[in-house]
């Protein structure tokens, strides 16, 4: 029988290769979006499926890096604050976005409500995920 070898150096090199390919793909996608924006206009570039793929990949990358950031920069000895602060912060951000959507040129009450609601939901989701990770790390360290 052949025994599979596990080498940390090879795993690390493989991760470097994957990150390089991801970087090249991201630059390529950005180049396509910029080209579409210059030749067809910004509306065509933002309505392109390539823009959607770029947006989704950046959101996923950011969420995956959030756990690394919390492990790196947060003090896991300190208990996370109450959750209602996160909800209040997301409400404030949603209100700011909503007011900007209403009072900026071309804005309306309906547009402000939509922009504010989307801002609230997005920030609440990200902050809740960060809170969950902090609480999980704190509970793991406490045990």
């Amino acid at each position: 029988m052949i025994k599979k070898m596990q080498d940390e150096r090879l795993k690390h090199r493989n991760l470097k290769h994957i990150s390089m390919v991801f970087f090249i793909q991201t630059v390529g996608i950005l180049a396509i979006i910029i080209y579409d924006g210059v030749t067809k206009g910004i509306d065509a570039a933002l309505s392109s499926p390539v823009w959607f793929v770029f947006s989704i990949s950046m959101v996923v990358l950011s969420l995956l890096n959030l756990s690394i950031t919390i492990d790196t920069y947060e003090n896991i000895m300190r208990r996370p604050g109450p959750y209602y602060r996160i909800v209040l912060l997301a409400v404030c951000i949603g209100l700011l976005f909503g007011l900007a959507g209403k009072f900026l040129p071309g804005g309306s009450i309906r547009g402000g409500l939509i922009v504010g609601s989307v801002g609230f939901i997005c920030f609440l989701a990200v902050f809740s995920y960060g809170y969950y990770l902090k609480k999980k790390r704190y509970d793991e360290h406490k045990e």
Side-chain angles (χ1 to χ4, degrees), residues 116-129:
S117 299
V118 168
F120 168 73
I121 290 169
C122 290
F123 277 91
L124 182 65
V126 172
F127 290 158
S128 295
Y129 182 62

Side-chain angles (χ1 to χ4, degrees), residues 16-104:
K16 281 186 176 183
H17 292 167
I18 290 170
S19 66
M20 180 57 78
V21 169
F22 180 74
F23 175 75
I24 291 170
Q25 286 177 341
T26 303
V27 169
I29 288 174
L30 270 176
I32 292 169
I33 292 170
I34 291 171
Y35 176 77
D36 280 349
V38 169
T39 59
K40 300 175 187 171
I42 193 70
D43 290 334
L46 295 180
S47 63
S48 169
V50 177
W51 174 256
F52 180 73
V53 169
F54 177 73
S55 300
I56 293 298
S57 62
M58 290 300 112
V59 167
V60 169
L61 177 66
S62 299
L63 288 176
L64 292 174
N65 282 335
L66 185 62
S67 64
I68 295 171
T69 303
I70 287 174
D71 284 343
T72 304
Y73 296 111
E74 286 295 321
N75 184 0
I76 57 176
M77 298 294 285
R78 195 175 75 223
R79 187 165 195 255
Y83 183 71
Y84 73 86
R85 287 185 188 167
I86 291 173
V87 175
L88 288 175
L89 182 62
V91 166
C92 291
I93 291 172
L95 284 173
L96 288 174
F97 278 25
L99 290 173
K102 181 185 182 314
F103 291 117
L104 286 177

Side-chain angles (χ1 to χ4, degrees), residues 6-20:
Q6 297 290 331
D7 190 355
E8 293 297 321
R9 293 175 296 148
L10 294 176
K11 287 181 183 179
H12 185 67
R13 190 176 338 158
N14 190 27
L15 287 174
K16 281 186 176 183
H17 292 167
I18 290 170
S19 66
M20 180 57 78

